[in-house]
Amino acid sequence: MVWVKRLAALGFIVVLLGGLWARYTLRSSLAQLDGEAILPGLSKPATVERDALGVATITGESRSDVTRVLGFVHAQERFFQMDLSRRQAAGELAALFGEAALPLDRRHRLHRMRRHAEKSVSLSRENDDEILTAYTDGVNAGLEALEAPPFEYLLLRQTPEPWRVEDS
């Protein structure tokens, strides 16, 4: 009977520690909603204010600065969804989900969306390049600023790939 109690206590401790680890990991992957953050590349400070529903309003001195902060906020709040969108369009979901996604990938690759996006970026105007680069840099800074990757990557045992200009 003593062994049963010890085994139950050990099981309880393992479950408790697992729960604490899961809570810490999940909380570490949440967006920073208040305080200050240093965002490389800003020409002047910018602010993010949230209303009662959590909707962000970004103010800054230049379009480039606001776009960079927008990328940061997007990555902090929804990088996994952004990643799914770019991978689906490019036919690259199997990289995340494995062989089960191959039929879907094959259908999407026919459209060659990644190639079209790369070509579109190569033909863009200089002003557009600045904005796309600012957004991309903001997204990657936002992803890097998370203490842990978004929890979906932990469940999939994957590592998020950096955002590229053509992904936008």
Side-chain angles (χ1 to χ4, degrees):
M1 195 51 118
V2 172
W3 286 105
V4 172
K5 289 181 182 178
R6 287 183 182 167
L7 191 57
L10 181 62
F12 175 76
I13 290 171
V14 167
V15 168
L16 179 66
L17 290 175
L20 290 172
W21 175 83
R23 177 185 161 100
Y24 171 76
T25 302
L26 290 175
R27 289 187 63 84
S28 296
S29 70
L30 294 177
Q32 177 184 344
L33 297 178
D34 46 79
E36 292 186 8
I38 296 173
L39 183 53
L42 288 179
S43 63
K44 294 195 176 168
T47 60
V48 178
E49 295 177 354
R50 296 179 186 277
D51 64 14
L53 297 175
V55 176
T57 300
I58 302 167
T59 55
E61 291 292 320
S62 69
R63 184 174 178 205
S64 181
D65 285 349
V66 170
T67 305
R68 187 177 306 273
V69 174
L70 178 64
F72 184 91
V73 170
H74 280 169
Q76 289 262 307
E77 294 182 353
R78 59 192 67 247
F79 185 81
F80 185 73
Q81 290 82 2
M82 293 166 61
D83 193 18
L84 280 182
S85 292
R86 73 172 166 175
R87 288 176 189 261
Q88 181 181 7
E92 299 170 353
L93 287 173
L96 279 180
F97 299 108
E99 204 172 303
L102 281 175
L104 185 61
D105 282 352
R106 286 186 183 111
R107 284 196 304 264
H108 283 103
R109 283 193 180 207
L110 291 173
H111 303 292
R112 301 178 60 214
M113 294 303 283
R114 178 158 315 280
R115 178 67 192 119
H116 290 299
E118 290 168 348
K119 185 176 181 182
S120 179
V121 168
S122 73
L123 297 174
S124 68
R125 297 182 311 231
E126 187 176 315
N127 187 36
D128 295 334
D129 288 344
E130 178 186 341
I131 297 302
L132 287 170
T133 300
Y135 182 79
T136 300
D137 292 347
V139 169
N140 289 325
L143 182 61
E144 193 174 303
L146 293 171
E147 292 180 37
F151 75 93
E152 296 93 343
Y153 293 100
L154 298 172
L155 294 175
L156 293 169
R157 296 182 182 168
Q158 298 288 337
T159 304
E161 290 185 11
W163 197 255
R164 296 177 299 243
V165 171
E166 64 268 15
D167 295 330
S168 298

